[in-house]
Amino acid sequence: MVKEKASPVLESGIPLKYSPGKAFPLGASKVEDGINFALFSQHASSVILCLSVPKRQNVGEYGGMVEVALDPHKNKTGDIWHVCVEGLPGSGVLYGYRVDGPQQWEQGYRYDSSIILLDPYAKLVAGRKYFGDVTDKTSKFLGTYDFSSLPFDWGPDYKPPNTPETDLVIYEMNVHSFTADESSGLEPGIRGSYLGVIDKIPHLLELGINAVELLPVFEFDELEFQRYPNPRDHLINTWGYSTMNFFAPMSRYASSGGGPAVAAQEFKQMVKALHNAGIEVILDVVYNHTNEADDDHPYTTSFRGIDNKVYYMMDLKNNAELLNFSGCGNTLNCNHPVVMELILDSLRHWVEEYHVDGFRFDLASVLCRGNDGTPLNAPPLVKAIAKDYVLSRCKIIAEPWDCGGLYLVGRFPNWDRWAEWNGKYRDDVRRFIKGDPGMKGTFATRVSGSSDLYQVNKRRPYHSINFVIAHDGFTLCDLVSYNFKHNDANGEGGKDGTNDNLSWNCGFEGETDDVNVLSLRSRQMKNFHVVLMISQGTPMMLMGDEYGHTRHGNNNSYGHDTAMNHFQWGQLVARKDDHFRFFSEMIKFRRKHSILRHNRFLTKNDVTWHEHYWDNPESKFLAFTLHDEKLGGDIYLAVNAHDYFVKVAIPSPPQKQQWHRVWCDEDGDNDGDGTSGGSGEGDVCSGGGDVVLTQIGNPPMISLLKVYLSVGPVTISLRILQLSLRQSHETT
C-alpha cells in the first residue's frame, strides 16, 4: 500500500490510506488492501472521489464528505480512473464523484464539477428512505456497497422453474402498486414492497399465471417531476420508466424504509419465493434512456456529467442537441462499445446476483440504432445479448418500436432468440372484437400464431408475445367502457397518451349503473380474455384485469401513486366468484391443453377453418377446430362479431367421440338444450356471448347461447367446445 504523506481523516476518526488501485472491475469492489473504486470517463480532465462514512455503524447518520483527488498520472489507465482506499467499513459507505472536463457545449460536453455524481456501476444506491416522501424531494442519490453481509442463502433445494417458452402465461405487474393500497391487508411497512409481493403469491397461483413481468425495479427517482414548478409537479413516477442506475434494485421497495442493502436482500427473497412457487421473474428494463432528461431541464445525476458525449446520442451538427428517440429527452448510445458493455454487465448482474429469468426491453428499437440514430441491420448489442453465455437461458423480449418511428414488429433483429411484444396482435384483435369490417382473415392469422410475422428462419409461435392490454393504454375494463382517453389529471392538457385506442364503450362513455351496459361490458372483457388464452403464442395480461380494474379512462397513468394504479383487493374479493373465476379457469384451461400452445406453426392437419367467406369484408363470423390427433381432444371455437344471429352447424365429432361442455359462465344456458347427439346447430348470439367448454362424458350438451340485447352497434360472442375421449367429466 503506497501511503500519502497527508492521509485524509474522516469525521468518524478513521484514517484513510490510498494507493493507485486498478482499472477493473468498474464500480466499487473489495480487494485485499481495501475498497477499489474505478470509473470510466474518456473525456474528463479531473475526477474526485467523494466519500461519507456513518458516524456509527448501522446508524443512518453520516459525517461530512471527504474528497480524494485522483492523479491522472497515477490513478488512470486508459479511460478509467481508479483508486484503492484502505480504512473504509465493509458496508454503509456513501460515495460519488465530481468530474470536470471540456466546456464546449457544441461538442457535446456537459461537465459540472459542482455536482456529486452517481457511479454508473454502483451495485446499490442510497437516496430517500420512503417511496413518494414529498418531505424529502431534494434527496441526493449516491452509490453504496455491502461487503459485510453473508451471501444470500438460496437454499439446498432451490432451482429456477426454467419454464419452456411455449408454456408461459405472463402477468405484467408493478411491485409497488400491487400491494400499496390499504385493501391489501398488509402492515404499512410491508405495503408496496418486495415482501408484499411474497405475501400475495397465493393470489398469483390461484389465478394460474407462471411468470411475472415486473415494471422497472432499477433505482429511479419517483419525485423527479417535482424538482421545479411545472404542470406535472403534482405527479409521482409510479411506473418507474426513468432509470437512474442499471445495477441497483429500487431501494424504496424495501420494507419499512430499510434502505438499499435491505432492498437487495428482499428482492432475492421475492425471487426465491416466486421460483419456489413455480413462477418466473421477468424484468421490464429501460436501456433506451435515463432519468437525466433533456438540455432544457437537465437532471444531472450520473451519465451526463461523467461523459455525456459517450453515453448519449446527439446531433453534433446542431449544437450537440440530444437526440430523442425515447420521448423522454435523451437516448442512450446503446451500440457504443462502452455503453454496450455497461448494458451487458448489468444484465449479467441481474441473472447471476438476483437469479432473474428474463428481460423485456422497453422501446427496444432504440437498441437497433447507431451512434447518430441511424437504424442498423445487425445491431451489435442486440446480437451480443442473444449470444451471451450468461443470458443464454433467459427469456429476452423486445418492445419492437420507439418514439422515433422505428417500428419493427415481426422484423426485430432476433438471431432466432428474441421474442416480441406483438403490437399488431393487440390492434387487430381489438379491431375485430369491436366489429370493424374486413378484419376476419387478419384476426384468424393473429389467433393462429401470427405466422405472417414470425414464420421466418427458426422462429416459433411463442416468439409472439400476445397481449390486448399492457401497463400503458386502457385497462381491460376501460377498453370496453371508454371511447376516448380522459387524461386531464396528468397535467399535460390531454396531449399525452394515444388517441387511437381501438376501444368501444358498449353504448355509454364511462361509469354507469345501467345493468345492460354493465352486463355487456362484463361479457366483452371475458371475450377478450378467451381470445388471448386460445391464441397460439405467449399470452400476457395486466395486473388488475382479473377483477376489472379501472383507471377511469386515463390511458397514461404513469404519475399517479393512488387507487388509479393500485391493485384494489376489495374489488377482487367482490368479483371472485364471477369475473376472477372466469379468468382463472381460462388460464388453467390453456395450461392444461397443449393444443393451445404449439411450439411450431399450425399446418392443415392442426386446424380446420369452417369458413367460406374469407374475401367478404362484411363477414364478421369465424369458426375453427383445433385438432389433437395424439390425445383426441379437439377444440372448437366460434366467434360472431355481427349485431345479428348466425346459425352454425357444429362439426360432427369423430366416431365414438362427442362434444360436451365443461365450463359455462353464470349467464350461460346450463340446461343442455339446443342439440341432441354429437353434432347439431345453434345460434351464436350477438350482444355479448358466453363461453362454453365441452368434453366427452355425459349425454351431449351443446347449449344454445343466451340472447342478450346489444347496447351498441356491434359486439362479439364466443363459443368453445372441447372434444375428449374421457369417459367421465367434471364441471369446473
Side-chain angles (χ1 to χ4, degrees):
M1 179 72 72
V2 179
K3 300 179 182 179
E4 297 292 330
K5 293 181 179 179
S7 297
V9 178
L10 296 178
E11 287 189 9
S12 58
I14 302 175
L16 292 184
K17 303 173 183 178
Y18 57 96
S19 62
K22 57 182 182 179
F24 294 100
L26 292 171
S29 57
K30 186 174 177 58
V31 294
E32 182 179 354
D33 296 329
I35 307 297
N36 191 80
F37 299 88
L39 176 77
F40 166 87
S41 182
Q42 179 180 349
H43 299 103
S45 58
S46 69
V47 173
I48 297 172
L49 173 66
C50 306
L51 299 166
S52 182
V53 177
K55 292 181 178 179
R56 299 184 303 278
Q57 282 293 336
N58 302 319
V59 177
E61 184 180 349
Y62 291 83
M65 279 283 180
V66 168
E67 298 190 349
V68 181
L70 305 190
D71 186 334
H73 300 292
K74 298 179 180 178
N75 300 101
K76 187 181 180 187
T77 302
D79 295 325
I80 298 176
W81 301 72
H82 47 81
V83 64
C84 181
V85 183
E86 180 184 347
L88 292 174
S91 63
V93 174
L94 304 183
Y95 77 98
Y97 296 93
R98 296 187 190 274
V99 182
D100 205 356
Q103 298 300 306
Q104 291 94 332
W105 181 286
E106 70 283 357
Q107 294 184 25
Y109 304 115
R110 303 291 187 269
Y111 289 106
D112 184 347
S113 59
S114 69
I115 301 173
I116 299 179
L117 301 169
L118 176 62
D119 179 7
Y121 272 80
K123 303 307 187 294
L124 300 173
V125 174
R128 74 178 63 86
K129 293 181 65 175
Y130 300 101
F131 190 89
D133 181 3
V134 295
T135 67
D136 191 16
K137 294 182 181 180
T138 59
S139 177
K140 301 297 181 184
F141 293 87
L142 295 170
T144 186
Y145 55 77
D146 180 15
F147 300 124
S148 299
S149 298
L150 294 173
F152 182 77
D153 182 12
W154 291 94
D157 299 324
Y158 164 83
K159 61 179 181 180
N162 291 323
T163 305
E165 288 177 282
T166 50
D167 297 341
L168 285 180
V169 179
I170 300 174
Y171 183 79
E172 190 191 29
M173 61 174 287
N174 181 296
V175 167
H176 174 74
S177 295
F178 193 46
T179 62
D181 196 82
E182 185 178 357
S183 66
S184 67
L186 303 180
E187 294 296 322
I190 304 298
R191 294 175 200 160
S193 70
Y194 301 121
L195 296 187
V197 174
I198 296 176
D199 190 87
K200 298 301 183 181
I201 287 176
H203 166 70
L204 300 176
L205 291 175
E206 186 178 5
L207 179 60
I209 58 90
N210 56 16
V212 291
E213 184 174 299
L214 304 181
L215 265 63
V217 294
F218 295 2
E219 187 72 29
F220 64 92
D221 180 8
E222 72 277 14
L223 298 182
E224 62 180 349
F225 305 128
Q226 303 189 21
R227 293 180 293 111
Y228 61 91
N230 68 89
R232 297 191 296 166
D233 60 11
H234 61 293
L235 298 180
I236 294 175
N237 187 339
T238 305
W239 288 356
Y241 289 88
S242 193
T243 306
M244 181 175 289
N245 173 279
F246 296 109
F247 292 86
M250 179 61 172
S251 61
R252 287 169 299 292
Y253 289 173
S255 63
S256 302
V262 172
Q265 291 297 305
E266 292 181 351
F267 186 95
K268 293 173 185 177
Q269 288 177 245
M270 178 189 69
V271 172
K272 179 180 177 180
L274 287 165
H275 281 179
N276 287 340
I279 298 173
E280 293 202 337
V281 179
I282 299 171
L283 302 187
D284 191 337
V285 291
V286 188
Y287 293 109
N288 59 80
H289 76 284
T290 75
N291 67 294
E292 295 192 304
D294 54 23
D295 283 330
D296 292 331
H297 298 287
Y299 184 23
T300 303
T301 57
S302 183
F303 310 93
R304 176 185 174 92
I306 291 171
D307 210 323
N308 185 75
K309 195 170 184 178
V310 168
Y311 284 112
Y312 295 113
M313 297 182 192
M314 62 188 67
D315 184 358
L316 292 176
K317 298 179 181 179
N318 185 24
N319 201 33
E321 178 181 356
L322 292 173
L323 296 176
N324 184 17
F325 299 112
S326 68
C328 297
N330 64 69
T331 309
L332 208 63
N333 194 8
C334 299
N335 285 295
H336 185 287
V338 170
V339 184
M340 183 171 79
E341 195 59 37
L342 169 80
I343 294 172
L344 289 169
D345 287 343
S346 165
L347 294 169
R348 296 180 192 121
H349 178 69
W350 287 97
V351 173
E352 295 177 325
E353 183 71 16
Y354 294 101
H355 293 199
V356 303
D357 303 283
F359 305 92
R360 176 267 189 189
F361 293 79
D362 180 65
L363 298 182
S365 289
V366 165
L367 279 57
C368 301
R369 294 182 181 272
N371 295 355
D372 61 355
T374 302
L376 305 173
N377 291 326
L381 175 59
V382 174
K383 179 180 180 180
I385 292 171
K387 301 294 184 181
D388 188 84
Y389 67 99
V390 173
L391 307 178
S392 60
R393 75 168 181 84
C394 292
K395 280 77 176 178
I396 49 176
I397 304 168
E399 182 184 36
W401 53 80
D402 63 22
C403 294
L406 188 56
Y407 189 79
L408 296 175
V409 173
R411 299 184 295 113
F412 191 84
N414 57 80
W415 285 272
D416 297 326
R417 281 210 58 209
W418 283 82
E420 300 176 17
W421 267 27
N422 189 347
K424 292 186 177 181
Y425 177 96
R426 172 199 60 206
D427 296 346
D428 292 340
V429 168
R430 288 186 181 189
R431 287 189 178 101
F432 180 82
I433 287 186
K434 77 184 185 72
D436 285 1
M439 293 302 301
K440 181 169 63 177
T442 304
F443 175 77
T445 300
R446 296 292 160 254
V447 298
S448 59
S450 294
S451 59
D452 61 328
L453 301 175
Y454 300 110
Q455 195 170 9
V456 179
N457 300 328
K458 297 180 181 179
R459 303 195 85 182
R460 304 298 179 90
Y462 56 71
H463 286 123
S464 172
I465 306 299
N466 298 332
F467 68 104
V468 177
I469 304 296
H471 66 275
D472 53 348
F474 282 151
T475 65
L476 186 58
C477 179
D478 289 354
L479 185 68
V480 300
S481 304
Y482 293 90
N483 285 352
F484 310 100
K485 67 183 182 183
H486 297 264
N487 294 2
D488 292 343
N490 297 353
E492 299 187 50
K495 296 179 181 179
D496 65 307
T498 180
N499 294 316
D500 190 11
N501 296 286
L502 302 174
S503 61
W504 176 50
N505 63 19
C506 294
F508 186 88
E509 184 75 359
E511 297 183 20
T512 179
D513 294 327
D514 189 311
V515 294
N516 291 321
V517 175
L518 294 176
S519 177
L520 180 54
R521 288 175 178 176
S522 175
R523 293 193 298 277
Q524 285 290 75
M525 286 189 279
K526 292 174 182 178
N527 288 334
F528 276 114
H529 187 62
V530 168
V531 170
L532 181 63
M533 290 302 149
I534 60 87
S535 295
Q536 303 296 324
T538 303
M540 183 189 78
M541 65 172 291
L542 176 66
M543 175 187 90
D545 282 348
E546 69 266 38
Y547 66 81
H549 183 85
T550 179
R551 295 175 183 154
H552 309 291
N554 192 319
N555 71 357
N556 193 30
S557 64
Y558 65 95
H560 297 280
D561 186 25
T562 65
M564 185 183 292
N565 281 313
H566 295 173
F567 195 101
Q568 299 298 298
W569 294 92
Q571 293 183 27
L572 172 69
V573 172
R575 300 165 187 173
K576 199 73 177 280
D577 293 333
D578 175 22
H579 189 100
F580 173 82
R581 180 172 180 265
F582 184 95
F583 274 54
S584 174
E585 291 298 333
M586 274 308 306
I587 292 171
K588 293 169 185 174
F589 182 78
R590 175 187 175 82
R591 292 183 60 183
K592 181 179 179 181
H593 297 285
S594 59
I595 192 174
L596 299 174
R597 40 190 173 81
H598 282 280
N599 66 356
R600 54 174 173 75
F601 289 96
L602 301 180
T603 67
K604 63 181 181 180
N605 295 324
D606 299 316
V607 60
T608 297
W609 299 98
H610 308 293
E611 179 55 55
H612 303 289
Y613 301 102
W614 289 112
D615 297 329
N616 180 3
E618 299 304 316
S619 176
K620 302 173 186 177
F621 174 82
L622 180 67
F624 61 94
T625 301
L626 293 170
H627 302 294
D628 187 351
E629 295 180 353
K630 292 183 180 179
L631 301 178
D634 288 8
I635 293 176
Y636 171 88
L637 174 71
V639 186
N640 179 28
H642 287 291
D643 57 355
Y644 53 82
F645 300 109
V646 174
K647 188 72 73 174
V648 306
I650 305 299
S652 299
Q655 188 176 7
K656 297 182 180 181
Q657 293 185 339
Q658 299 180 53
W659 295 111
H660 286 285
R661 183 183 64 216
V662 295
W663 200 95
C664 178
D665 82 359
E666 67 179 9
D667 290 328
D669 188 343
N670 291 306
D671 57 15
D673 61 350
T675 63
S676 59
S679 65
E681 290 187 350
D683 290 324
V684 179
C685 70
S686 65
D690 304 310
V691 178
V692 180
L693 308 179
T694 68
Q695 67 183 67
I696 199 75
N698 289 345
M701 295 183 298
I702 304 179
S703 301
L704 286 173
L705 300 181
K706 277 191 174 180
V707 176
Y708 297 96
L709 294 178
S710 178
V711 179
V714 71
T715 186
I716 187 175
S717 62
L718 303 173
R719 171 182 287 191
I720 297 181
L721 306 175
Q722 182 191 348
L723 195 63
S724 172
L725 290 174
R726 290 178 55 189
Q727 295 305 307
S728 63
H729 83 285
E730 296 179 357
T731 301
T732 59

